[in-house]
Amino acid sequence: MTEHSEHREQGLTTATEARGLEALISRAARAGKGAAPVERWNPDFCGDLDMEIKADGTWFYLGTPIGRMPLVQLFSSVLRKDADGRTYLVTPVERVGIRVADAPFIAVEMDVSGSGEAQIITFRTNVGDVVEAGPERPLRFVDENETGGLKPYVLVRGRLEALVARPVMYELVGHGEEIEIGGKTMFAVRSKGAVFPIMPADQLKRLST
């Protein structure tokens, strides 16, 4: 058997038992500490893995929650979302698909420093990323039609976003202000010189009455 075929036999998609998962962990660990340079890697697609990130940020493997945070952080460091809209675990030699119910990360804490145009909003995610919202890490707000609620997301890296947890969302909205954007008055938040519209000011007033 060739070295290439042995590699395939022991690749990420064979991670259906403890030994396979150990191989997956080993390959991810070798990708480096912290967020790996996955955008620069172009490995072959090796199939899908039975791994899912639920809407609350919990990681599941073979239908079982992954309870070890260091392991979740390791896997999160080699995540990549491609232009096809799918999310992958990527190492220098392999790329495998996983399922993501909503966003791969959850913003669980925020801090606000400065004021006005000098204001900076910083988020911490459930896996330890620290992100300053701004021109390179924008915030976006999505209306939940089924609930009438609001779901804010902040870009973490690449195409990967963090969903802002609901308690943090209320804190974030508390820093909103009315700002004229393109001739229309919007309720928005500022960070690092950028303005992120939440909704038209008149819509917010209707919701508040």
Side-chain angles (χ1 to χ4, degrees):
M1 182 179 291
T2 66
E3 181 181 349
H4 180 74
S5 61
E6 287 176 355
H7 167 74
R8 285 291 188 184
E9 185 178 352
Q10 297 175 4
L12 297 184
T13 52
T14 66
T16 56
E17 55 187 34
R19 183 178 177 184
L21 185 57
E22 287 173 6
L24 171 56
I25 294 167
S26 174
R27 295 184 196 283
R30 288 201 297 269
K33 301 291 185 180
V38 294
E39 306 299 331
R40 300 204 300 263
W41 297 338
N42 190 30
D44 291 338
F45 175 63
C46 301
D48 293 321
L49 192 67
D50 189 5
M51 185 176 285
E52 182 177 10
I53 306 175
K54 299 289 189 180
D56 66 356
T58 303
W59 288 60
F60 281 74
Y61 173 68
L62 296 176
T64 301
I66 301 176
R68 293 169 53 197
M69 180 50 65
L71 188 54
V72 169
Q73 291 172 324
L74 175 62
F75 289 146
S76 72
S77 72
V78 292
L79 274 181
R80 189 177 79 192
K81 185 175 182 179
D82 286 358
D84 61 5
R86 297 197 61 201
T87 303
Y88 301 90
L89 294 176
V90 182
T91 75
V93 295
E94 294 170 292
R95 175 169 55 99
V96 295
I98 68 169
R99 302 185 303 278
V100 180
D102 194 338
F105 309 127
I106 305 293
V108 295
E109 187 178 4
M110 65 170 276
D111 176 75
V112 178
S113 61
S115 61
E117 294 184 0
Q119 179 169 279
I120 299 176
I121 301 174
T122 304
F123 296 94
R124 180 179 63 83
T125 74
N126 59 318
V127 294
D129 294 297
V130 176
V131 181
E132 290 184 348
E136 297 181 354
R137 300 287 184 271
L139 279 161
R140 68 182 182 97
F141 296 83
V142 176
D143 288 327
E144 279 189 293
N145 294 327
E146 65 274 13
T147 65
L150 192 68
K151 294 173 70 174
Y153 297 84
V154 61
L155 185 65
V156 176
R157 60 179 181 272
R159 297 182 179 88
L160 300 172
E161 293 180 310
L163 171 65
V164 178
R166 192 159 295 276
V168 182
M169 181 201 72
Y170 292 134
E171 184 179 355
L172 174 64
V173 170
H175 291 275
E177 56 185 296
E178 291 190 4
I179 302 174
E180 187 170 318
I181 302 174
K184 188 172 185 178
T185 303
M186 300 292 293
F187 185 67
V189 292
R190 302 178 188 264
S191 186
K192 297 190 75 174
V195 176
F196 303 106
I198 300 174
M199 65 178 66
D202 56 357
Q203 179 182 344
L204 177 64
K205 291 175 182 176
R206 287 196 302 270
L207 293 174
S208 302
T209 57

